[in-house]
């Protein structure tokens, strides 16, 4: 099962690196297609709805590895509720752009994917972060390159 996690992390990490490394000024707004694919085999694990954001790297972070999750992030992980996380992000980082995949729909099952299109201003929002939780692995939060 971890093979699927590593593959998914690599695909997202590569997409993130390509977006962030295009940090030259005067980058026009681009429409991006964000796809989250659960590569687990049938009968494998699920993911909670995915919350993500494009930001300017001025301090926005969904959670910190090794620290307890905030109550706001716990809501995202446990029941897919992202409203407070979104409101906090918008209040503190008004130029950032966020999204939620499968919010209100339910977990993302094995061998399935969800997609979302977003227009991103590459002059402002040069970094990308996302988070989800593995099900049925209680208490394991996931973001590219880190399992905590």
């Amino acid at each position: 099962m971890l093979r699927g996690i590593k593959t998914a992390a690599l695909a997202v990490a590569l997409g993130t690196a390509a977006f962030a490394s295009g940090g030259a000024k005067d980058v026009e707004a681009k429409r991006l297609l964000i796809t989250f694919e659960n590569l687990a085999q049938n009968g494998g694990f699920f993911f909670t709805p995915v919350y993500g954001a494009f930001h300017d790297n001025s301090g926005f972070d969904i959670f910190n590895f090794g620290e307890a999750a905030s109550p706001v992030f716990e809501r995202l992980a446990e029941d897919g509720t992202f409203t407070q996380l979104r409101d906090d992000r918008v209040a503190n980082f008004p130029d950032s752009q966020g999204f939620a995949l499968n919010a209100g729909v339910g977990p993302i099952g094995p061998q399935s994917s969800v997609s979302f299109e977003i227009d991103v201003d590459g002059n402002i929002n040069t970094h990308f972060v996302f988070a989800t939780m593995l099900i049925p692995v209680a208490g394991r939060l996931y973001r590219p390159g880190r399992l905590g």
Side-chain angles (χ1 to χ4, degrees):
M1 271 194 239
L2 287 180
R3 181 173 167 229
I5 294 173
K6 289 178 184 176
T7 303
L10 176 61
V12 171
L14 290 175
T16 302
F19 180 77
S21 67
K25 291 295 179 190
D26 300 322
V27 176
E28 61 189 64
K30 296 288 183 188
R31 174 158 287 193
L32 302 176
L33 174 65
I34 307 297
T35 299
F36 185 88
E37 183 175 7
N38 183 344
L39 300 176
Q41 297 300 315
N42 286 328
F45 56 83
F46 288 69
F47 286 95
T48 61
V50 179
Y51 183 81
F54 290 90
H55 60 95
D56 66 2
N57 202 32
S58 64
F60 176 73
D61 199 5
I62 293 177
F63 74 95
N64 295 309
F65 186 69
E67 295 180 13
S70 70
V72 171
F73 187 72
E74 284 180 15
R75 290 290 39 93
L76 171 69
E78 296 297 332
D79 61 21
T81 303
F82 68 93
T83 307
Q84 186 61 49
L85 182 60
R86 180 202 58 214
D87 292 349
D88 290 351
R89 178 190 52 78
V90 169
N92 293 297
F93 304 94
D95 290 330
S96 64
Q97 296 170 266
F99 62 90
L101 298 174
N102 248 37
V105 176
I108 302 165
Q111 299 293 304
S112 63
S113 64
V114 291
S115 296
F116 175 76
E117 286 188 9
I118 185 171
D119 293 320
V120 176
D121 184 337
N123 287 316
I124 298 171
N125 294 316
T126 57
H127 291 74
F128 172 67
V129 62
F130 79 91
T132 184
M133 184 171 172
L134 295 171
I135 303 170
V137 185
R140 300 297 283 179
L141 306 174
Y142 175 72
R143 66 180 178 179
R146 297 184 183 195
L147 232 81

